Amino acid sequence: MPRRTTRVIGATGVSRRTAAKATAAAGLAVLFGATTGTTRARAATRLGPRTLDLAVPSAALGRSAPVRLILPSGFDTAAGRTYPVLYLLHGAHDDYTSWTRETDIESFTEGRDLIVAMPDAGPTGIPTAWRDGLDYETFQVEEVPALLARDYRASGVRAVAGVSTGGYGAMAHAARHPGAFTAAASYSGVLDTTAPGVPTIVDAIVAREGLSPASLWGNPFLNLLTWRDFNPRARAEGLRGTALYVSQGSGLAGGIGDWLPEALESALWPSARGFAAALARRGIPATTHFYPGGGHDWAYWKGEFTASWPILADALGVPE
């Protein structure tokens, strides 16, 4: 496995022709298949000794939205103790249950004194302020933390990590709200929304859910300033002082033949490399892992989460 580094050095190793082909294929892949601070959550649904689902009334969304929680092992017997929170964000065409469905996050955090929060981001998994009025950014960054602080003894120490569009959310939230998170990790995230080919992918993700692409940030050309405002790369300066982990596979270049997820991974490779390079130019440290092959899939993201854990744990103040 290639060494993880804190800077981006050298060429990407993916030709423009390969990237262009991957972008076109990825567009098809995503199209065809690859509360307010004073409102309390409704009664929690217990799924296990530590895991529960909440329905959180949200002014930002105009409705209640689900959040899955994993509480610390000693939560019920340590009244008065507060805990740091790890936010885990899901990807496109998935939901808040993905991390417990696809990973062993429940057993992994057993005995560790932290809360794990997995908020929903809607069917597209893009946790942002939409032009049509939905505001998943406020829901995840303000409303859910306020509820956790009030009802579940969450401290002000937070880290955020996500896969795919959730990786976008992790970096966008941390960049647009400097100091809100001590660490942010992205696994195959959409980290430069205006990079060549990426607006097409984003529009395809939105369209696949039967929504108008313009309902997100508008037209990527006519509303370029809006796209830039929500672009992690353009807001990179806001990440200064945040512990960062960025991973991305090259996909088709060195892949194993699973072409749909590999095509999408390849299409996002230049975006992730450009984002990391933007951090390096500003002198903002980041641990990066750019690996050959790979696909846009949990088979790779689970290992990347494990690799990033020491950074997240240190930022949260919990043992590795």
Side-chain angles (χ1 to χ4, degrees):
M1 181 176 288
R3 182 184 300 274
R4 290 168 174 81
T5 63
T6 56
R7 294 183 66 85
V8 179
I9 302 174
T12 65
V14 178
S15 69
R16 291 183 179 179
R17 177 175 295 181
T18 299
K21 289 181 178 179
T23 298
L28 294 175
V30 293
L31 273 171
F32 299 114
T35 78
T36 66
T38 58
T39 302
R40 294 187 178 274
R42 295 176 181 173
T45 301
R46 281 277 180 177
L47 304 175
R50 299 167 49 229
T51 305
L52 58 153
D53 283 351
L54 306 177
V56 180
S58 168
L61 300 176
R63 59 175 175 78
S64 292
V67 178
R68 178 159 291 181
L69 295 185
I70 302 175
L71 297 176
S73 303
F75 182 83
D76 292 332
T77 59
R81 180 172 181 176
T82 61
Y83 299 92
V85 183
L86 172 62
Y87 290 84
L88 296 178
L89 309 184
H90 67 82
H93 320 306
D94 211 330
D95 62 28
Y96 69 102
T97 69
S98 65
W99 278 88
T100 52
R101 185 182 69 244
E102 301 289 348
T103 77
D104 64 348
I105 190 65
E106 291 169 289
S107 60
F108 182 84
T109 56
E110 178 74 34
R112 292 186 166 100
D113 290 329
L114 78 159
I115 297 169
V116 181
M118 295 154 280
D120 198 61
T124 67
I126 304 175
T128 189
W130 289 57
R131 285 172 64 91
D132 69 1
L134 293 178
D135 189 351
Y136 284 99
E137 179 180 10
T138 295
F139 174 66
Q140 293 189 351
V141 178
E142 297 181 14
E143 293 179 329
V144 174
L147 181 140
L148 296 185
R150 184 181 59 248
D151 294 349
Y152 292 93
R153 307 199 307 272
S155 72
V157 179
R158 313 174 207 160
V160 60
V163 301
S164 187
T165 53
Y168 159 82
M171 290 300 167
H173 289 349
R176 287 172 51 80
H177 301 270
F181 299 93
T182 57
S186 167
Y187 320 115
S188 303
V190 185
L191 303 182
D192 183 357
T193 60
T194 59
V198 175
T200 300
I201 295 173
V202 173
D203 284 351
I205 291 171
V206 176
R208 182 184 168 187
E209 296 298 336
L211 304 172
S212 167
S215 65
L216 180 59
W217 299 313
N219 183 282
F221 299 104
L222 299 178
N223 304 107
L224 178 60
L225 293 180
T226 300
W227 279 72
R228 284 181 55 83
D229 189 39
F230 289 99
N231 187 356
R233 178 175 179 173
R235 301 294 294 263
E237 187 60 36
L239 295 168
R240 190 177 300 280
T242 303
L244 303 174
Y245 183 90
V246 178
S247 68
Q248 179 73 43
S250 64
L252 290 176
I256 59 174
D258 194 1
W259 76 272
L260 285 175
E262 289 175 0
L264 183 52
E265 193 74 357
S266 187
L268 293 175
W269 170 272
S271 169
R273 294 300 295 253
F275 172 75
L279 294 175
R281 285 195 300 272
R282 291 168 171 80
I284 300 174
T287 298
T288 61
H289 182 210
F290 295 107
Y291 50 94
H296 209 71
D297 188 85
W298 281 101
Y300 300 94
W301 299 335
K302 288 185 286 188
E304 292 305 315
F305 171 77
T306 301
S308 70
W309 174 247
I311 294 171
L312 298 171
D314 182 66
L316 289 167
V318 299
E320 291 183 21

